[in-house]
Amino acid sequence: MSQQHSQINHTPFLQYNRRGQRIRVEGKAYIRTGLFSRVECELRDISPGGARLVLPEGMVAPDEFVMVMPQFRYPRTCLKRWESGREIGVEFRLV
């Protein structure tokens, strides 16, 4: 008697390994670099728990920073979780 092993496709589960569903967007976000200065970056996607950004050429984001997005009333404190080339993934820090 042969035993059959079911094969599970884990791909659908991996994309939801976050606090909420990711929404693809094309917009702008601003990283505060000082009291009155900021750097514009591209906002690629966002979820209730974080976002993916594309930084300007040559910019290195700090491990923690404040991000301002025109779509939101209040700035978000962000923790950098990963980076790949000019893209970074951030988690919104809960205050």
Side-chain angles (χ1 to χ4, degrees):
M1 183 187 281
S2 69
Q3 197 174 20
Q4 290 185 341
H5 295 283
S6 64
Q7 293 188 359
I8 299 173
N9 182 359
H10 292 279
T11 305
F13 301 106
L14 295 176
Q15 66 184 346
Y16 296 106
N17 188 13
R18 60 191 75 246
R19 289 187 189 149
Q21 187 174 5
R22 184 184 298 190
I23 299 170
R24 193 163 183 82
V25 295
E26 290 184 21
K28 295 179 183 180
Y30 301 90
I31 294 176
R32 284 192 184 159
T33 55
L35 188 57
F36 297 107
S37 60
R38 62 188 187 176
V39 174
E40 183 180 307
C41 55
E42 297 174 41
L43 179 63
R44 289 286 170 91
D45 61 46
I46 193 164
S47 70
R52 181 169 53 116
L53 306 168
V54 179
L55 303 176
E57 191 71 42
M59 181 184 179
V60 177
D63 292 336
E64 185 173 332
F65 58 87
V66 174
M67 181 173 66
V68 178
M69 294 172 283
Q71 307 90 315
F72 295 103
R73 176 181 250 173
Y74 301 107
R76 305 275 199 245
T77 299
C78 299
L79 302 172
K80 183 169 64 172
R81 291 299 184 202
W82 60 266
E83 60 184 300
S84 177
R86 292 178 42 213
E87 289 189 344
I88 64 170
V90 299
E91 177 183 350
F92 298 140
R93 190 179 85 187
L94 302 174
V95 182

